[in-house]
Structures are given as structure tokens and as C-alpha cells.
Amino acid sequence: MTTPSSTTATPPTSQDVGIGRLLEEVQQAVSPPTRPHVVEFRNVSKTYNPGQANSFTAIRDVNFVVADLPNKGEFVCVLGPSGCGKSTILRLIAGLEPQHPATTGTVHVFGKPVEGPGADRGMVFQDYTSFDHRSVLGNIAFGLECQGVARNERNELARHWIEQVGLDVAKDSEKYPHELSGGMRQRVAIARTLILQPRIILMDEPFGALDPQTRMNMQDLLIRLWRAVEATVFFVTHSIEEAVFLGDRVYIMSTGPGRVEKELEVEPADRPALEMARVPRFQETVYYIRDLIAQLEAQANKHAK
Amino acid sequence: MNNASAPKPAPEATPAVPADTVVRRSTDGRSNGAAWFAFRRPIPQWVGILLGALCLAIVFGIWWFLTRGPHEERIIGYSALPSPAETFNRDQFQNLWFDNALTRNLLVSLQRVVFGFALATLIAVPLGVLCGCFPWVNAFFAPINVFGRNIPIAALIPLSFALFGIGEMQKVMFIFIAVVAFIMMDTAAAIADVSSRYIDTAFTLGASRRQIILKVLVPLAMPRLFNSLRLLFGLAFGYIMLAELVTEGGGVGGLGNIINVAQRRGHRETIILVLIVIPAVALAIDRLLFMIQRSLFPHQYGGDGFLHILWRGIMHTCEDVKRWIIAPTPLQPGQQAALAHKPAAHEPHAAPPT
């Protein structure tokens, strides 16, 4: 996917690093596109409280495009330090306030501007957002209930998804969220989203609060589920290992205000997270990105002074 | 309530100490005397009951001391305060129960509170939900709520006679006015307290605004809201005494009226007995409501959640009726396929391919 930039005359060169490949420039939209892009950000900026003393620019002039691949969704990881506007990008795609709408620029999803949230863009949050008053089954069936699907049908499908995310139908379906561990809650959150067959899945550091072992198990689960559902995933994280393991494509952001600085293409993971972490080529990519981020931060600090 | 569930110190946890060792301090470094003043240290249930009984004994002891002996020699005269023995005797109980019709008057008072409170709940809870969801609604009602929360409620009694007459209507409306602003503000606070991440989640799961209010915000706010309503009901039960004590014309009935009549007749014993009945009834109501609260929200308080299950059953029935009128939405093809491909355990031909 080395679509040449529409703004530069010379074709970009790229650089191989381990299992990844750093693109010379962040991919831009070609016009006209052969088919609508999954997501396209064009000169997107978001400023909170513009014109006031406490005005704050979260992201400035963010440009990127995720092309639509036939019969395959891409796994896009957004990597960057805290406060670089990763979540802002995700919530702009989701159409959630107050990030939505963007101050300037346009956010397009499948060729149409984002007008508000919808079930076609499911989202999993870092904070546990299971509905406390609903059982596991009731939580997973929530979206279908809102659509008005008959109770026996939605419960049957919900039980299917309880199995898909590795929970036990007999034991867990009538449990309430407070009886679940963090990992189990996130499994419920993933099932609740995937049951609606979203074309885009937005994940905002979903495993950030989990212990390392659970986190790796969840990464493996997520890869398995994602290959089955053919959706595009946007996964925000500040763990480089997580981004390289999960991502087909990694965006690296810098702070103050947030920008997408670099884009990498990464080979898909061919083994579980625990084993992947020992592969030298995998580590090479991780170290490379670590240096890259340090370099970007040094540059940003120089600009600040 | 918490005493019962507090963990009791396990006796086997005490480390074995050789017989010749003199232990002056407990293992956590606190001396035995300091145990009384250890912050937030739980006490055994029997100690709690004993301390409560001790307090009662002291109160009654002082009362007995101040009113002992013949009428003329007492520290506090009989006309001001009868002695415990004069208050708690069969004649006085009979007088209260039969001559003053305690049960009937209690029910009259309760009925007024329930009607006024129910009316206030029906109006204030939906408005409070809107206040909690939309700041502009909150801003609109702010003046009424500021007035309702800051007006000393007793000051409204004269006006309530002018507006609602001297009958039942005045008592019910007095309770309504007394609690409506509080219910509204507490509802708004309970709704506003639900983290907005639940709203975001519901939006990304395709819920409409109406569904977010009814299926997410209200149910998640419900435990806190019910708790507020329980406390406010106790408050309303106190206010009804006020409405029954301050009357125009007699014979309005209710516990407050018993006090009024007894006061006029000089029956101090009856007044004291009613004063003991009122908190006892208030406590009983509060505990009953708390039991309902526990049963409604097992995810908050544990337990079997009988009323929660009952409520879910009612909701399912409502949904079935709705589906009967509006046809259910079919599953999408992909979702149906997911169910169809699911290997059923009872089908022998569903063996996995090798």
C-alpha cells in the first residue's frame, strides 16, 4: 500500500525495520479514490474553548487515510505519548462529543462526513463501561435490544458471542459486572461491540488497565476475533510492543499539539504475543520505534524552547 | 446494619505466645488501652448493642432522678414531666391505643405522607431526569429549586391554608411542596453523577437518546435515586407532624393531632408515648424501604435480588406486548450466519473437519 502522496512529485521511499517498514511520508488521499476510503482525515484540527484563555489545541493538521482493502479490514494502531491526541482522533471517528465536530478540516468514514455516533463504529474504552445493572448476557445483547431484535434471537446470538470471547455461557452469562475481573469485563465489552458487526472497531487503550499476562491473552483473542470479522480496527495504545504485535499499520504521533508524524507497515503476527515478543526481528522494530519517538520528543522540546 | 456483616476477628489468628512471655502490646503495636481510640476500628455486635442500652439506661436514669418522689418534692414538677413509671403503665397505653385511636391516626398520617410524596415523586422524578440530562432544563427550573430548598417549610403553612383549605388537601399539598424540590434536585444529581462514558458507550452501540435515558442513565442512577427517596420519605414523615400540629380548627386526625389534643388536656404521658411511637414507626418504614432497595439492586447490595428479578420479568412482559404491536427487527444476514454455523452439540454430523 504505497499510494504516492498527491502533494509531492517524487515518489516516497521507505525503509525496512525488522518486521516493519517505515514509510517516507504518512499516506495521503489520492483524488479521486477508486473506492471510498475507510477513514480519511484531511487537515483536521481540534481546539477546545477557542478564543478563550484556556483554549487548548489537542491535534493540529492531522492528515491520513486508511484505504479500503477488498475482503479484509486493516488493524491500525495509533501510538504516542499521553496527551498527544490519540483519543481525540478515535472519538472524532466515533463522532462523540465534545471532540466531535472537528474545529477545522474534515473526517470522512467510507466517503461520508461523520455526523454523529452510530453502531457501525463500535468502540471499546479503557475504563470499564459494562452496564452495572445488566447481566453479562444483557450487556452483550444491549445493542440488539436497542435495534428491537426479538429477545430469544438476541439472547441466542449473545450466548454465541459469550463463547466467542472465551467466557462460559453456563457460568458467566447471568453474572453481573461487579462479579467479573478486568479481563472478563473487557471480553464482555468486545463481545458487545462485535455482535453488531461494525465495519470499524475503535479501541481506546482497552487493555491499559490489565496485568501483563491478561493483556497478552487479550491481544491473542483480539487478533483471532478480528481475523474472523473482517472489520477495520483502530487501536490506541502507548505500548510499542502492543502496537507492533497487533498492527498492520502503525501511526506514530507527537505531542504539542498532536500530529501524525510517521507511518509504518508491519507484518501480521504469526504467533501468540508471548512468543512474538522473543522474535529478534519483532524486537528490532520495537527498538526502532522507541528511538523514533525519543527523537520526535527531542525535536518537540527544541521547538518548545 | 453494618455490624452484622463486619468481619469478626478470628481467634486462631492470634499468634501462639510462650506461656512465660508477658505480652504488653498487641502485635500491631497498639496498646490495649488505645484500642478504644483506634480510628474506625470495628466493634463486635454485642458491644454495640450494649453501648446503645447503656445510653438508654442513662437517659432513663436521669429522667427517673429528676422526677422521683412525691409530686411536690420533685426537681421537675409533675405538670412539666411525668415520671417513667407514670408514663409507661397500662392505663396510659390503653388511653393512647383506644381512647386516642393510635392505629387509625397513624394510618391517617401515613396516608397523607404517601399521597403527597407519591405526587411529588411522579412529577419531580421525570423533571429531575431531564434536569440531569440537559443543563438548559436544569437552568430553567433553578429558581424554583432554589426557592423550594431554602424556604423554611413551616413558613409555608399559613399560605397553604389559604390555597388548599383546611382539609386533607392542605396536608397532602404541604408534603408535596415540602419535598418536590428536593426530589427533583436529588434526581438530577443522581443522573448527572452517572459517568458520561456510559453515554458514549451506548451511543457507539447504536442507542438513541431516548434509549440512553431509559435504558442507561435512569437504571444506573436508580440505586442512588432510591436511596435519596428513602431518606426524603423520612423527612416527609417528620413534616406531616408539623402540618398536623399547626391547624385551623380541630379534629384533623393524625399523630400530630393526638399530641395537640393531649397537650390541651394536659396529658403529658400521652405526648411522651407518641414521641416514642413516631421514631419507632419512622425506623420501621426506613428499614422496610431499605429491604426493598436491597432486593431491587442486588448488583449494589448483594443478596438474591428477588424484586430485581421480578422487575425484569415485568419489563420482559412489557417488551412482549410491544413486540406484538411492533414487529421485531430481524437479525442481519451475517448475524444469522453466525448462529447457523454454530456447531450444535446434539447434532452428530457436526464433527470438526480433520
Side-chain angles (χ1 to χ4, degrees):
Chain A
M1 285 312 302
T2 46
T3 318
S5 164
S6 57
T7 50
T8 50
T10 49
T13 53
S14 56
Q15 180 190 354
D16 285 322
V17 273
I19 62 165
R21 195 154 60 90
L22 180 74
L23 305 187
E24 183 68 18
E25 285 186 346
V26 176
Q27 253 190 122
Q28 302 299 312
V30 285
S31 48
T34 42
R35 48 197 288 168
H37 299 302
V38 179
V39 171
E40 184 188 330
F41 271 56
R42 207 175 272 181
N43 299 321
V44 178
S45 302
K46 179 69 193 182
T47 304
Y48 301 101
N49 309 318
Q52 292 175 31
N54 60 344
S55 93
F56 171 72
T57 302
I59 54 171
R60 182 175 292 163
D61 291 330
V62 169
N63 284 287
F64 69 87
V65 60
V66 177
D68 192 12
L69 307 178
N71 301 325
K72 182 184 180 298
E74 270 195 303
F75 205 118
V76 181
C77 285
V78 184
L79 191 58
S82 302
C84 72
K86 302 186 295 271
S87 298
T88 303
I89 287 180
L90 223 55
R91 293 176 62 97
L92 278 168
I93 301 171
L96 291 172
E97 291 177 11
Q99 286 77 5
H100 173 83
T103 314
T104 59
T106 51
V107 179
H108 281 75
V109 170
F110 290 111
K112 293 192 189 105
V114 172
E115 272 160 6
D120 57 324
R121 284 151 289 141
M123 189 153 175
V124 179
F125 298 82
Q126 176 180 5
D127 298 320
Y128 306 136
T129 59
S130 312
F131 301 125
D132 296 332
H133 61 292
R134 284 170 174 264
S135 63
V136 167
L137 193 75
N139 263 288
I140 295 177
F142 177 82
L144 294 175
E145 186 183 318
C146 289
Q147 288 173 10
V149 173
R151 192 167 62 246
N152 54 356
E153 270 186 323
R154 66 172 191 250
N155 283 352
E156 199 181 341
L157 194 60
R159 279 191 278 270
H160 168 72
W161 274 101
I162 290 177
E163 274 174 17
Q164 288 295 300
V165 295
L167 296 175
D168 190 318
V169 174
K171 266 200 333 220
D172 300 326
S173 58
E174 282 310 311
K175 278 188 184 162
Y176 284 85
H178 72 273
E179 300 171 270
L180 304 177
S181 66
M184 287 165 93
R185 281 178 182 228
Q186 291 308 65
R187 283 170 200 263
V188 171
I190 290 169
R192 182 170 68 172
T193 301
L194 293 187
I195 195 172
L196 299 172
Q197 300 184 303
R199 295 192 65 185
I200 297 177
I201 302 163
L202 305 164
M203 307 187 93
D204 193 353
E205 297 187 39
F207 308 147
L210 304 179
D211 64 83
Q213 185 57 49
T214 312
R215 189 172 184 153
M216 284 187 169
N217 291 340
M218 293 296 286
Q219 288 170 2
D220 293 335
L221 172 80
L222 183 61
I223 286 281
R224 184 166 60 73
L225 292 173
W226 163 70
R227 283 182 180 148
V229 296
E230 294 174 2
T232 301
V233 177
F234 274 82
F235 190 101
V236 159
T237 179
H238 50 226
S239 158
I240 299 169
E241 282 89 348
E242 191 166 64
V244 175
F245 174 70
L246 292 172
D248 293 327
R249 191 169 294 284
V250 176
Y251 289 127
I252 296 168
M253 294 189 66
S254 63
T255 42
R259 294 169 56 88
V260 176
E261 294 281 357
K262 300 284 180 189
E263 175 179 353
L264 276 94
E265 285 173 359
V266 183
E267 292 170 23
D270 56 355
R271 61 197 84 187
L274 197 61
E275 290 168 38
M276 200 67 189
R278 298 200 189 97
V279 175
R281 285 181 66 232
F282 174 84
Q283 285 300 343
E284 195 186 326
T285 314
V286 170
Y287 292 139
Y288 179 81
I289 294 176
R290 193 164 290 167
D291 294 343
L292 195 61
I293 290 174
Q295 200 184 319
L296 288 171
E297 271 177 13
Q299 272 175 18
N301 287 341
K302 211 182 288 175
H303 278 292
K305 280 169 194 168
Chain B
M1 284 305 292
N2 293 333
N3 289 345
S5 58
K8 289 193 175 95
E12 62 270 20
T14 319
V17 178
D20 55 349
T21 314
V22 180
V23 180
R24 291 191 187 280
R25 284 167 187 278
S26 53
T27 44
D28 59 356
R30 294 187 183 116
S31 72
N32 290 332
W36 282 100
F37 299 103
F39 286 112
R40 294 167 186 181
R41 174 174 289 188
I43 53 165
Q45 195 180 11
W46 65 269
V47 175
I49 293 171
L50 210 67
L51 286 171
L54 182 66
C55 174
L56 268 187
I58 291 172
V59 169
F60 273 86
I62 294 171
W63 182 5
W64 169 82
F65 180 77
L66 293 175
T67 57
R68 89 204 128 94
H71 285 182
E72 310 79 49
E73 294 168 19
R74 290 182 181 181
I75 301 171
I76 294 180
Y78 170 70
S79 55
L81 185 68
S83 73
E86 284 158 351
T87 307
F88 299 100
N89 67 51
R90 212 170 138 215
D91 288 349
Q92 292 300 341
F93 278 114
Q94 268 182 352
N95 178 285
L96 178 63
W97 222 277
F98 299 108
D99 301 349
N100 280 304
L102 177 70
T103 316
R104 191 169 54 80
N105 279 307
L106 176 64
L107 290 178
V108 166
S109 289
L110 268 180
Q111 188 191 323
R112 288 166 179 161
V113 184
V114 168
F115 281 5
F117 197 83
L119 187 65
T121 305
L122 281 177
I123 292 172
V125 168
L127 288 180
V129 168
L130 292 178
C131 286
C133 292
F134 310 109
W136 66 267
V137 181
N138 200 28
F140 178 81
F141 284 111
I144 293 176
N145 283 327
V146 168
F147 178 81
R149 284 158 59 92
N150 292 298
I151 187 84
I153 197 65
L156 285 174
I157 291 182
L159 197 61
S160 73
F161 287 125
L163 285 171
F164 307 111
I166 58 166
E168 284 301 292
M169 183 69 160
Q170 181 258 338
K171 310 281 180 295
V172 171
M173 288 312 288
F174 178 74
I175 294 298
F176 172 82
I177 294 168
V179 294
V180 71
F182 287 95
I183 295 180
M184 198 157 141
M185 293 303 280
D186 280 6
T187 309
I191 294 281
D193 202 41
V194 176
S195 169
S196 51
R197 63 176 196 257
Y198 292 106
I199 301 176
D200 293 344
T201 304
F203 264 136
T204 60
L205 293 171
S208 67
R209 281 193 182 79
R210 207 181 63 105
Q211 284 169 329
I212 287 177
I213 293 174
L214 294 179
K215 287 177 189 285
V216 178
L217 289 176
V218 171
L220 285 175
M222 213 55 202
R224 187 177 154 184
L225 172 57
F226 195 95
N227 200 49
S228 292
L229 290 179
R230 178 171 63 86
L231 299 176
L232 285 173
F233 190 87
L235 198 71
F237 190 68
Y239 283 149
I240 195 62
M241 301 303 150
L242 193 62
E244 288 166 353
L245 280 169
V246 184
T247 58
E248 286 188 356
V252 292
L255 290 180
N257 192 56
I258 296 183
I259 295 179
N260 247 358
V261 172
Q263 161 76 12
R264 231 177 293 134
R265 292 181 186 160
H267 287 169
R268 310 278 175 272
E269 295 89 343
T270 309
I271 296 179
I272 292 170
L273 285 179
V274 172
L275 288 185
I276 291 169
V277 167
I278 291 170
V281 170
L283 180 71
I285 293 171
D286 184 75
R287 287 298 94 188
L288 179 73
L289 288 175
F290 188 72
M291 274 164 64
I292 294 172
Q293 190 174 333
R294 269 181 71 103
S295 192
L296 271 175
F297 312 114
H299 51 276
Q300 200 90 12
Y301 302 99
D304 62 352
F306 173 75
L307 287 178
H308 175 77
I309 293 163
L310 190 73
W311 178 253
R312 239 171 47 169
I314 294 170
M315 286 288 109
H316 282 176
T317 314
C318 290
E319 195 197 334
D320 291 342
V321 171
K322 192 177 156 195
R323 291 286 155 259
W324 192 49
I325 300 164
I326 310 163
T329 315
L331 288 174
Q332 291 163 32
Q335 292 167 330
Q336 279 169 353
L339 283 183
H341 285 297
K342 194 177 155 191
H346 58 269
E347 285 176 41
H349 59 80
T354 46

